[in-house]
Each structure stands twice: as structure tokens, then as C-alpha cells.
Amino acid sequence: MALLQDELKIRKIHELLHMKLALPPYQRPYSWSVKSANTLFQDTYNAYHEGLQEYRVGSVILHKENGKYNIVDGQQRLTT
């Protein structure tokens, strides 16, 4: 299966959250500690507070299947 070039892009979090996302059965359970979640929140808050126009939370890899997007990588960050 070829990659779809128009699907390879940087997206805003609110765009991801409006997509039909699904957790496939092979994904591991949520396992982030409170410390890890707090680090993500604090980093995001600091970026906002400093007026950064852009802040990247890292890669999210999705697999499009039957009109939905299975989360392949980035589940912990998206869930948090």
C-alpha cells in the first residue's frame, strides 16, 4: 500500500481530536504515570505562556481503515 502524500502533514491537536480515531486491539493499555502526564501539561502550558506560535507534542502515526484512523503511535500523548 502506498503512502498518501496529502495525508502526511503536521496537524493541530484540535484537528486530530475531530478525526474518527480508534484504538486497535493490539495497542497496550494506557500506562503513563502522573509525572509523565504532568510533564506534558507543564510543557504545553509553558509554551502557551511564552507565546510560542507552535508547539509539537511529537509524532502521531495513524492507519486509515474503513473510514477511521487507528492509532499506531502516540496513544499515550493523545489520551493524556
Side-chain angles (χ1 to χ4, degrees):
M1 173 189 263
L3 290 174
L4 304 173
Q5 289 299 323
D6 61 332
E7 300 255 356
L8 299 174
K9 60 180 93 174
I10 295 171
R11 295 198 182 252
K12 296 182 180 197
I13 288 180
H14 75 85
E15 291 176 296
L16 284 174
L17 296 178
H18 285 90
M19 295 171 72
K20 191 172 185 179
L21 300 175
L23 284 175
Y26 57 80
Q27 275 290 4
R28 64 187 171 130
Y30 183 80
S31 63
W32 268 21
S33 65
V34 170
K35 183 180 178 182
S36 295
N38 282 337
T39 298
L40 177 63
F41 284 126
Q42 192 65 47
D43 288 349
T44 305
Y45 174 78
N46 289 340
Y48 171 77
H49 185 69
E50 293 169 11
L52 293 178
Q53 295 298 308
E54 192 173 278
Y55 176 78
R56 297 187 183 179
V57 296
S59 298
V60 173
I61 299 174
L62 307 172
H63 174 251
K64 190 174 185 179
E65 178 181 49
N66 300 325
K68 66 181 179 189
Y69 291 88
N70 288 322
I71 301 170
V72 176
D73 186 45
Q75 171 206 354
Q76 308 293 314
R77 283 170 278 134
L78 283 175
T79 302
T80 302

